[in-house]
Amino acid sequence: MTIREITENYSVSPQIALEDLPQIAEADYSLIIDNRPDGEIPAEIGTDAMRAAAEAAGLAFIANPVIGGAITMENVTAQGEAIAGASGRVLAYCASGNRSSIVWALSQAGNRPTDELVALPARHGYNMEIWRDQIEALASGK
């Protein structure tokens, strides 16, 4: 498991395993956001299995499946609402952490400077520069 801290309260990861969840809970995360559609992964690590294991470990769990190349405003809104409603640290995962970084950055537009939303994920190799115009457009609408 490779957790990449984007901010103090929000981290991303490539696909996690069921056996990672107790360790994630011990690391003081309170919420897991699954940004991976079930069609991409085997059923044994699909939404239902991950939700059950997360809840057994004492973690809240939200599924917000993001399709690569087809991110929707519903995805962005759901991510932002989940983050805002979390009682503590949030870990979001997808195949690589990229989609989880994108929906985070878009959901935080207007709440943080665009340069920060681009730079923080970039520390971990996630290219948010291509999303700069969209972040700025969302920020100007808030």
Side-chain angles (χ1 to χ4, degrees):
M1 165 180 59
T2 303
I3 295 177
R4 297 174 177 115
E5 188 173 279
I6 303 297
T7 68
E8 181 179 309
N9 292 317
Y10 185 83
S11 299
V12 300
S13 176
Q15 178 68 52
I16 58 176
L18 297 172
E19 56 270 13
D20 294 332
L21 291 161
Q23 181 182 357
I24 291 166
E26 289 172 11
D28 292 328
Y29 286 93
S30 66
L31 172 64
I32 301 292
I33 303 175
D34 175 2
N35 291 134
R36 197 140 192 222
D38 277 344
E40 292 182 4
I41 51 177
E44 61 267 14
I45 56 171
T47 300
D48 292 341
M50 294 301 285
R51 180 186 312 280
E55 290 173 353
L59 296 160
F61 182 91
I62 294 176
N64 180 23
V66 177
I67 297 171
I71 295 171
T72 67
M73 279 311 298
E74 290 79 16
N75 291 136
V76 173
T77 300
Q79 199 84 0
E81 288 174 354
I83 294 165
S87 63
R89 295 174 68 202
V90 176
L91 175 64
Y93 72 90
C94 58
S96 68
N98 190 55
R99 285 175 278 181
S100 297
S101 295
I102 293 167
V103 290
W104 168 80
L106 294 172
S107 76
Q108 300 305 300
N111 298 326
R112 292 176 174 263
T114 299
D115 287 343
E116 187 176 294
L117 296 173
V118 170
L120 290 173
R123 297 176 307 170
H124 303 289
Y126 301 118
N127 180 10
M128 295 296 116
E129 193 62 47
I130 61 175
W131 294 93
R132 180 180 290 278
D133 291 345
Q134 184 66 36
I135 293 168
E136 290 177 352
L138 289 170
S140 67
K142 287 192 174 182

